[in-house]
């Protein structure tokens, strides 16, 4: 048996570096648009309440906008804002011509129906890609959604930019949520992969995962996918972002994925780290969707 140091290790897919490349590409396109039309893309970032995690995601997104030259419109609403007031704000943003994308940071407070709010965002500005019409079109052959959801789109982009063929390959998606698992499986199907979905009722997930050339893990279960579940040479994209206790850290916790990285990186061909894999791509895809939305309106 090979000793640990002799074992081959996977190529790490550096999501941070790939996202930076994409942000550079976006920045140069924004600058060309600005010269050509005298306008830049605009993104409204709406946050309700004071959740620490949401605030840090929103501030990351606003900073990323500034870096590439997209104008961000900050809408900060108090926790107790009513559903009708929030809907009225969304309608105002829908009508505002210098805004090409609207992002409502989730989760919303319990008294607000998220589904209703997401359905109020104009489909032309649905840069998160969560509008039922966009998801519906994604599910149908021959239809093209106006926007793809950012995290799933980021997963596909990571595979593409790492030179991993999806066509004809066996892919497994662990998780079937509306925001990650389901749309990423639909995107893999569009790429001509043969897709299996694993969820909390799946019997023997390890055997399904072990047969797969591509694994997208989005279950939100820390290190549930063991190295022995991975097919040698497989490409593993770990969406999972789970906080686990770590008394050695100042914060008292650290983030880990759904895949046992240490074990899996000895078996896989390619693997994303957590953090530094899918996370930065989600923000880059949000910027890309905003740019594409703006281009469509500028070119009309
Ligand atoms: P959800 O909780 O909405 O969905 C989890 C899915 O995983 C469900 O479909 C559930 O199955 C399935 N699941 C849960 N436990 C198991 C299990 N033991 N075996 C198999 N399937 C299981 O989560 P999200 O889709 O919102 O997020 C998934 C993960 O991705 C989280 O860790 C989240 O933090 C992370 N994330 C990361 C992003 C990024 O940018 N990096 C963006 C979005 C999410 P069932 O349907 O049967 O309940």
């Amino acid at each position: 048996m090979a000793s640990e140091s002799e074992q081959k290790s996977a190529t790490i897919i550096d999501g941070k570096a790939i996202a930076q490349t994409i942000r550079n590409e976006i920045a140069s396109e924004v600058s060309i648009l600005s010269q050509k039309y005298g306008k830049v893309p605009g993104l409204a970032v709406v946050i309700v309440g004071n959740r620490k995690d949401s605030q840090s995601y929103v501030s990351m997104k606003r900073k990323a906008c500034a870096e590439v030259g997209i104008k961000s419109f900050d809408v900060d609403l108090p926790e107790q804002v009513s559903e009708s007031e929030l809907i009225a704000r969304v309608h105002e943003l829908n009508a505002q011509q210098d805004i090409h994308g609207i992002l409502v940071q989730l989760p919303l407070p319990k008294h607000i129906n998220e589904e209703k709010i997401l359905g109020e965002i104009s489909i032309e500005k649905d840069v998160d890609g969560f509008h039922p019409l966009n998801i519906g079109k994604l599910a149908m052959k021959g239809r093209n959604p106006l926007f793809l959801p950012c995290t799933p789109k980021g997963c596909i982009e990571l595979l593409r930019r790492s030179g991993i063929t999806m066509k004809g390959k066996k892919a497994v998606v662990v998780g079937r949520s509306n925001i990650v698992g389901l749309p990423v499986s639909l995107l893999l199907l569009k790429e001509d992969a043969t897709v299996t979905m694993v969820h909390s009722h799946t019997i023997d997930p390890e055997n399904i995962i072990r047969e797969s050339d591509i694994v997208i893990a989005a279950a939100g279960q820390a290190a549930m996918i063991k190295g022995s579940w991975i097919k040698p040479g497989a490409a593993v994209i770990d969406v999972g972002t789970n906080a686990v206790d770590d008394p050695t850290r100042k914060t008292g916790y650290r983030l880990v994925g759904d895949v046992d990285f240490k074990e899996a990186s000895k078996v896989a061909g390619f693997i994303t780290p957590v953090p530094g894999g899918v996370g930065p791509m989600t923000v880059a895809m949000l910027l890309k969707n905003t740019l594409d939305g703006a281009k469509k309106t500028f070119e009309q």
Side-chain angles (χ1 to χ4, degrees), residues 25-286:
E25 291 165 6
I26 294 171
S28 62
E29 279 206 64
V30 169
S31 143
I32 292 167
L33 286 180
S34 160
Q35 283 164 31
K36 193 167 168 193
Y37 299 103
K39 299 189 269 195
V40 295
L43 174 68
V45 183
V46 182
I47 181 169
V48 180
N50 307 311
R51 274 181 70 117
K52 283 249 159 3
D53 55 347
S54 294
Q55 281 183 335
S56 91
Y57 293 137
V58 159
S59 102
M60 217 156 61
K61 288 167 187 174
R62 288 172 177 165
K63 252 200 240 150
C65 280
E67 184 197 323
V68 300
I70 289 178
K71 185 167 179 350
S72 81
F73 294 80
D74 303 349
V75 182
D76 294 44
L77 298 169
E79 179 84 22
Q80 58 280 11
V81 71
S82 70
E83 193 175 274
S84 57
E85 280 171 290
L86 179 56
I87 291 176
R89 271 327 278 274
V90 168
H91 288 173
E92 279 170 31
L93 300 170
N94 282 343
Q96 208 172 315
Q97 295 211 340
D98 47 356
I99 290 178
H100 308 96
I102 300 171
L103 171 127
V104 177
Q105 184 64 44
L106 301 179
L108 290 169
K110 293 250 175 312
H111 66 279
I112 296 175
N113 181 339
E114 278 183 6
E115 215 177 289
K116 200 163 166 192
I117 301 300
L118 296 181
E120 293 295 330
I121 296 173
S122 150
I123 185 168
E124 282 83 24
K125 299 189 181 185
D126 175 38
V127 284
D128 247 346
F130 294 156
H131 195 291
L133 271 175
N134 273 326
I135 297 284
K137 285 185 176 184
L138 176 60
M140 293 167 86
K141 203 177 157 92
R143 304 285 178 93
N144 288 317
L146 288 171
F147 298 104
L148 297 175
C150 302
T151 303
K153 182 173 171 169
C155 294
I156 301 296
E157 200 61 27
L158 283 176
L159 290 168
R160 235 186 240 143
R161 291 191 184 231
S162 305
I164 295 157
T165 311
M166 288 167 265
K167 195 175 186 145
K169 294 289 179 64
K170 279 189 186 166
V172 65
V173 178
V174 186
R176 57 174 169 179
S177 72
N178 286 341
I179 62 165
V180 190
L182 179 68
V184 86
S185 68
L186 295 171
L187 279 173
L188 284 163
L189 259 186
K190 279 207 192 295
E191 296 290 334
D192 295 326
T194 299
V195 185
T196 305
M197 293 181 76
V198 164
H199 48 76
S200 67
H201 301 278
T202 303
I203 295 167
D204 282 343
E206 54 267 51
N207 286 329
I208 298 169
I209 295 169
R210 208 175 280 122
E211 285 182 352
S212 306
D213 307 300
I214 296 169
V215 180
I216 313 272
Q221 303 290 322
M224 82 169 247
I225 299 175
K226 307 298 170 202
S228 60
W229 299 16
I230 302 292
K231 179 177 174 176
V236 179
I237 305 291
D238 193 353
V239 185
T241 313
N242 312 289
V244 295
D245 291 342
D246 184 346
T248 68
R249 302 280 175 105
K250 228 160 93 192
T251 52
Y253 72 89
R254 75 193 144 90
L255 295 179
V256 300
D258 288 351
V259 178
D260 185 320
F261 182 84
K262 201 167 166 218
E263 289 179 13
S265 58
K266 292 178 189 147
V267 188
F270 296 84
I271 191 166
T272 57
V274 177
V278 175
M281 291 298 285
T282 299
V283 179
M285 293 301 109
L286 173 69

